[in-house]
Amino acid sequence: MLNIVLFGPPGAGKGTQSTMIQEKYALKHISTGDLFRYHLSQGTELGLLAKKYSAEGGLVPDQVTIDMLKEEISKYPSVNGFIFDGFPRTTPQAEALDNLLASMGTAVSTMLALEVPEEELKVRLEGRAQTSGRADDADPKVIQNRIDTYNRETKPVKDFYQAQGKLKEINGLGSIDAITDRLYSAIDSI
Ligand code: AMP
């Protein structure tokens, strides 16, 4: 299997680029943020719980997120692989993903980390608010919290994959197509 962790701060382009990658390599795209938003739209208990954290720009607790991811993965027993978008966001989540994939006889193939400076992220997220309909894109305070949460809790996940020799940093500035090409080259070089 080809299992890709597409990593980066909020606004780095993970969702957009995941769509391109999933098509080219026939992977199943799993976005934990999309899953939480789906649950919220359905008014489930999980959706309401997630909203408490995401509305402020914080992270949903690890065990809740990991359980949701496990359930989602189990729905796709015969895919070529997965592209994980927005997961793992903490080191315990990364450990849980390793264990889960190991139990399936597979592993993370690579982490592709999109690098985008903070000022550019803010510009992108404020622009995205016009079309995304996401409350957490609309409020500059929440955007700042999401970036701070990334720096504090999520960035260390890079070290986890670097220690395994799986980290590839990708310049996340430029046109969407240029960034897609960089990601394809990184995947093809595995
Ligand atoms: P995203 O669409 O990836 O920006 O995620 C939106 C929000 O969902 C985040 O700000 C978090 O509150 C929550 N979320 C998504 N993925 C995770 C995760 N892996 N761990 C914890 N919370 C998450």
Side-chain angles (χ1 to χ4, degrees):
M1 287 173 86
L2 176 63
N3 298 306
I4 296 171
V5 171
L6 187 57
F7 190 80
K14 299 187 295 295
T16 305
Q17 297 297 341
S18 291
T19 307
M20 316 297 279
I21 294 171
Q22 90 161 345
E23 276 171 19
K24 180 161 160 86
Y25 298 93
L27 304 177
K28 174 66 195 159
H29 172 206
I30 296 188
S31 155
T32 42
D34 284 350
L35 289 171
F36 286 132
R37 281 185 289 277
Y38 176 73
H39 275 276
L40 184 60
S41 75
Q42 301 299 301
T44 69
E45 219 172 290
L46 176 58
L48 293 172
L49 175 78
K51 190 185 173 193
K52 282 207 300 195
Y53 300 93
S54 57
E56 300 298 322
L59 295 183
V60 179
D62 281 338
Q63 203 53 53
V64 174
T65 308
I66 291 165
D67 288 347
M68 179 180 72
L69 182 94
K70 276 187 186 166
E71 196 201 320
E72 186 67 13
I73 284 187
S74 71
K75 294 180 189 163
Y76 306 97
S78 50
V79 289
N80 282 337
F82 293 97
I83 173 151
F84 298 102
D85 158 10
F87 186 95
R89 262 177 156 98
T90 63
T91 303
Q93 290 182 16
E95 286 163 353
L97 183 62
D98 267 10
N99 292 335
L100 178 62
L101 293 176
S103 75
M104 296 160 57
T106 184
V108 168
S109 313
T110 188
M111 171 197 255
L112 306 176
L114 290 168
E115 304 293 324
V116 178
E118 187 165 322
E119 284 316 307
E120 170 71 10
L121 297 174
K122 290 181 191 164
V123 171
R124 288 189 190 177
L125 289 169
E126 282 163 22
R128 191 170 84 178
Q130 318 293 325
T131 52
S132 72
R134 283 177 54 171
D136 61 347
D137 286 345
D139 180 342
K141 253 196 313 196
V142 175
I143 290 180
Q144 188 63 54
N145 277 347
R146 289 162 68 198
I147 293 172
D148 293 345
T149 300
Y150 169 81
N151 286 328
R152 198 177 54 244
E153 299 185 52
T154 303
K155 220 173 171 181
V157 177
K158 277 169 72 169
D159 300 335
F160 180 90
Y161 289 102
Q162 184 159 38
Q164 296 186 4
K166 292 179 177 173
L167 169 67
K168 289 182 196 285
E169 292 180 315
I170 309 288
N171 176 3
L173 288 176
S175 69
I176 291 176
D177 287 351
I179 299 165
T180 307
D181 284 344
R182 287 175 207 143
L183 291 165
Y184 287 170
S185 305
I187 295 169
D188 292 339
S189 73
I190 297 173

